Structure formats: structure tokens, C-alpha cells
Amino acid sequence: MAALKYAGMDDTDSEDELPPGWEERSTKDGWVYYANHEEMKTQWEHPKTGKKKRCAGDLPYGWEQELDDKGQVFYVDHINKRKTYFDPRQAFTIEDVQVKPKRYDGNTAALEILQGQDLSNKVIVITGANSGVGFETARSFALHGAHVILACRNKARSSKAVSLILEEWHKARVEAMTLDLASLRSVQEFAEAFKARKLPLHILVCNAAVSTQPWCLTEDGLESTFQICHLGHFYLVQLLQDVLRRSAPARVVVVSSESHRFTELLDSCGKVDLALLSPPQKEYWSMLAYNRAKLCNILFSNELNRRLSPHGVTSNAVHPGNMMYTSIHRSWWLMTFLFTLARPFTKSMRWVRPSPAQRGNVIMGREARLSKARKLGNKCMLR
Ligand SMILES: NC(=O)c1ccc[n+]([C@@H]2O[C@H](COP(=O)([O-])OP(=O)(O)OC[C@H]3O[C@@H](n4cnc5c(N)ncnc54)[C@H](OP(=O)(O)O)[C@@H]3O)[C@@H](O)[C@H]2O)c1
């Protein structure tokens, strides 16, 4: 079990080996077919396994698809100045299995949902990804090939999280960048540093949060739960909006909570009472502050979706599950006690580690596929 298995690419070469006289080719839209040169016939199914396949993703950099005089697709590698009938993406084909629609439930983990997905062309930023829901999300994306950036406030904790993922798959494209949502200056610095790298941004997960912490003001003079859970994210999305739009189709995922139900933001006249968002110490109750910030998350996500979806950027708010044992309760002993009591009955962060042997197999699998691609590419070279 590891990265390429999750992406559905871990089958062995021996099963795929074609009988003599057969050749693997692909159509313009990526479907793989098999040509039997002895009998002069073609078919969609692999002659040994009977499976259908299609090519995943874009052509590698420098390659182009063209049609010959007979209308057959061939590929031009402009960098190495060669032509071939072999589709270079065939190193990463996906089986066309008739999968029954999967049923997900409260026990489904991120890795199961992503099974079979190739995210190698995606750039993903996750806030507060050094622990809990954020870490599990980052790990799952990284093991599916995405370039994942952990946007965290604490360098030591984020480096530890990065090394845990790399330990699992040493080729994971995962890194940490500093972001403290309690400081609008830090949010701005993060956005500038990210933009300076000229990367696209396909998924932004606004996950970081604090709960049940004592009243304190941020350096911007705002109540910290409100700023960390909502306002910091709001500002971050504003600053990265242009990158998201350029990277469309892109999405924002705002991690909210069902606890948004247990509050409201309206005053007695039915108008939004902005004073409730960042209350003074004497009016502060940590749970209420958290619930309000989570309500802001949902309102924000809905409005963002309304404004950006016409430009190819969607936004969704999610509730990840009730009372999952993460670090969210750590600021108040009573919450820690309640989370501990509930732990056996609630969803857990599933943390399945592959054995070193399994990890080795997967890495060998990818290298074997690449060498197969090279071999086949040479065989099918045009004169
Ligand atoms: N656990 C649950 O039962 C539950 C239920 C409903 C919703 N949620 C939501 O799920 C999300 C993830 O929470 P979790 O349960 O995984 O909790 P968690 O393990 O405590 O994760 C929260 C993350 O936010 C980070 N963070 C806190 N303050 C920050 C700041 N100023 N700047 C940047 N990052 C900061 C934390 O970093 P540090 O390690 O540096 O503090 C941590 O990585 C939250 O939005 C939460 O509201 C959780």
C-alpha cells in the first residue's frame, strides 16, 4: 500500500506483458487499443488480461500528438527530436473497470475517497496541516501525487509533518510554508511568497482553527478565535483569488463545523451584529466564539462560491465529523475530558502506515513502468 497503489498504478509488468506480434497503441482521446500484427486486427481488451485501459493526464512536457496520412495518431518528442506511435502516457494508464458507485459513510477515510485518482498535476495549499484533519488531508493528497504545501504557523511542527509524509513515500512533493492566521501581516507575506513562486493553485483548503482557548487579542486587535478561524482565511482567499482564477478549474474547501448551528449573528432587529464577531473579554465565551467563526466559514464559502463559480472556482464548506480526537480540544481540560470520553464512539484519524517492503514495491512499480515506457517507445519508433 502506498502512493501509486492509491492512484491505481501498482499492477505488475508481467501481467501486462503482450504476446508476440501484439502492440499497444492509443486513440486521439487516450483510449488504449491492441493491434495484432499477425492477424491484422485490433481490439480494445488486453489480449491476456481482458482489461480496458485509458491514458491519464496530459502529455509530458515537450510532446505533441499528431495524425499520420492514414489518420493514425503518433507522438512527437520535440526535445529529443523523435517520433513514435507509442503514447508516452501509457506508462500511467488507468484501468477502465466498471466500478459500482461507492457508498461513503462516517467511517470512510480520505485515502479511500481518493483511491484511483492521479493528482500529479495539482498544487494544493492546506492551512493548519501539521495535525489532525489538515495533516490527514495533506498526506492523502501527497500520496496521490499532488504538490502539497502545508501552510502552518509553527516551523518545527510543520517540518515534522513533512518528514512523516516523506517517510511514507520519499517522492511525495510536500513542503511547508509559514502562515500565522492570527496575523494579517503573516497572511500577506505568505500570499506574496506563494505568488513569487509562480505556481498554480488548484485546491485551497482553509482548515486551521482553534477552539476553547482563553480570550486574547491578535496583533491586529481582533479576538483570536474569530481571526484564526475566519478572518485570516477570508483575507488569504482574497489575496490568492487571482491565482485560483488563473488555475481554474480550482476549488476552495472551507472546513467548518456542525457547531455553527448553535449560534447566530443577528441582533434583536434581525441585522448582522458585527460586534458579536470580535467581542470584548467580558462578553467572551470560547465555545460561542468558535461556533460563530464556524458560521462565518459557511456564509463566506457560500458567497465565495456565488461570486467565483462563474470563473471556474468553486467553494464548499464541510463538516469533517463530530468530536474527532485531534488537538482541537487542547486549550481546555473539560473539552479534552469530553473528547476522551467520546473517542471510542467517534470517527478517528485513520493512520495506516505501509511497511518498508510495501513502500519499496510501489517505488519499484513506478520505475518499472517508466522503463517499460522507454522500451516500448523505442520499439515503436518511426523510421
Ligand atoms: N476535531 C473535530 O471534532 C472537529 C469537528 C468539527 C470541525 N472541525 C474542524 O476541523 C478543522 C481541523 O481541526 P482539527 O480537529 O484537525 O484540529 P487540530 O488538530 O487542532 O488542527 C488545527 C490546526 O490549525 C492550526 N492553527 C491553529 N492556529 C493557527 C494559526 N494562528 N495559524 C495557522 N494555523 C493555525 C494548528 O496548528 P498548531 O499545531 O501550530 O496549533 C493545527 O495544525 C478545524 O477547522 C475544525 O474547526 C474539527
Side-chain angles (χ1 to χ4, degrees):
M1 182 196 83
L4 296 179
K5 179 168 179 191
Y6 303 142
M9 297 177 188
D10 69 331
D11 44 356
T12 64
D13 277 1
S14 53
E15 194 198 28
D16 266 3
E17 193 98 6
L18 287 171
W22 285 82
E23 193 191 325
E24 199 174 51
R25 288 192 175 180
S26 62
T27 61
K28 200 162 182 294
D29 52 2
W31 287 101
V32 175
Y33 68 94
Y34 300 90
N36 181 339
H37 291 297
E38 277 163 26
E39 295 178 25
M40 303 290 280
K41 66 169 194 180
T42 58
Q43 63 186 55
W44 293 112
E45 296 81 17
H46 188 285
K48 267 161 85 180
T49 64
K51 291 174 184 166
K52 286 187 192 170
K53 289 197 295 189
R54 67 184 165 84
C55 298
D58 297 327
L59 286 172
Y61 177 72
W63 286 75
E64 234 174 21
Q65 193 184 59
E66 286 183 26
L67 289 182
D68 69 10
D69 304 340
K70 293 181 190 150
Q72 284 210 13
V73 178
F74 68 95
Y75 299 87
V76 185
D77 174 359
H78 289 291
I79 295 169
N80 296 305
K81 309 255 176 296
R82 60 179 195 157
K83 294 172 182 175
T84 168
Y85 280 112
F86 179 74
D87 184 336
R89 294 171 302 168
Q90 283 193 31
F92 303 103
T93 47
I94 292 170
E95 274 168 24
D96 179 40
V97 271
Q98 294 293 324
V99 270
K100 285 191 203 132
K102 263 193 184 167
R103 286 178 70 93
Y104 300 121
D105 59 25
N107 293 318
T108 311
L111 282 176
E112 293 166 59
I113 291 175
L114 289 177
Q115 199 163 14
Q117 301 281 332
D118 176 7
L119 301 179
S120 51
N121 57 354
K122 302 283 182 220
V123 178
I124 301 173
V125 170
I126 306 171
T127 68
N130 58 282
S131 68
V133 175
F135 175 71
E136 193 59 29
T137 309
R139 170 190 172 239
S140 307
F141 282 140
L143 293 178
H144 281 79
H147 177 176
V148 182
I149 295 171
L150 281 63
C152 303
R153 63 175 163 178
N154 182 300
K155 269 195 186 150
R157 286 197 284 263
S158 57
S159 307
K160 175 94 181 44
V162 167
S163 29
L164 279 173
I165 297 171
L166 288 174
E167 221 175 83
E168 203 166 341
W169 186 34
H170 75 286
K171 286 187 178 172
R173 290 180 303 152
V174 55
E175 58 176 309
M177 284 177 71
T178 304
L179 167 73
D180 182 355
L181 291 155
S183 155
L184 296 178
R185 181 185 40 83
S186 168
V187 175
Q188 193 174 355
E189 282 169 5
F190 172 87
E192 279 165 11
F194 180 82
K195 284 181 173 181
R197 298 181 61 186
K198 307 265 182 257
L199 288 169
L201 177 56
H202 302 103
I203 304 178
L204 170 59
V205 186
C206 299
N207 161 79
V210 286
S211 159
T212 65
Q213 65 169 19
W215 183 88
C216 76
L217 289 182
T218 64
E219 64 182 37
D220 303 295
L222 293 159
E223 189 281 305
S224 61
T225 306
F226 167 67
Q227 178 159 344
I228 293 168
C229 294
H230 170 63
L231 197 73
H233 284 128
F234 174 88
Y235 189 38
L236 181 66
V237 175
Q238 299 306 310
L239 296 174
L240 295 180
Q241 204 188 121
D242 50 343
V243 190
L244 284 162
R245 282 169 69 150
R246 276 201 302 276
S247 317
R251 66 177 66 191
V252 176
V253 178
V254 184
V255 185
S256 179
S257 169
E258 199 179 3
S259 62
H260 78 277
R261 292 178 197 278
F262 310 117
T263 186
E264 42 110 305
L265 295 169
L266 305 179
D267 62 17
S268 50
C269 307
K271 287 198 173 152
V272 175
D273 185 353
L274 293 177
L276 292 175
L277 297 178
S278 177
Q281 188 168 11
K282 61 180 174 10
E283 288 162 27
Y284 176 79
W285 185 41
S286 62
M287 276 316 298
L288 204 52
Y290 176 77
N291 296 351
R292 283 181 182 142
K294 292 287 133 184
L295 179 55
C296 289
N297 284 162
I298 295 177
L299 297 174
F300 167 55
S301 173
N302 288 352
E303 181 59 16
L304 189 68
N305 188 61
R306 196 182 68 78
R307 292 189 191 196
L308 292 195
S309 53
H311 305 282
V313 183
T314 57
S315 179
N316 289 284
V318 297
H319 166 62
N322 282 321
M323 296 187 87
M324 286 175 299
Y325 199 88
T326 59
S327 317
I328 196 87
H329 50 77
R330 69 189 146 177
S331 311
W332 191 16
W333 67 267
L334 182 60
M335 270 299 155
T336 304
F337 178 66
L338 290 175
F339 268 70
T340 309
L341 281 184
R343 194 172 185 176
F345 312 104
T346 57
K347 192 169 176 172
S348 64
M349 299 283 106
R350 204 174 301 175
W351 175 238
V352 189
R353 259 167 189 277
S355 69
Q358 283 169 319
R359 268 178 263 152
N361 278 344
V362 168
I363 292 155
M364 289 301 292
R366 171 165 262 195
E367 251 115 58
R369 282 186 156 260
L370 282 170
S371 91
K372 178 187 168 193
R374 282 193 286 270
K375 261 193 293 178
L376 283 171
N378 288 340
K379 259 195 234 160
C380 306
M381 199 72 75
L382 288 177
R383 277 178 229 288

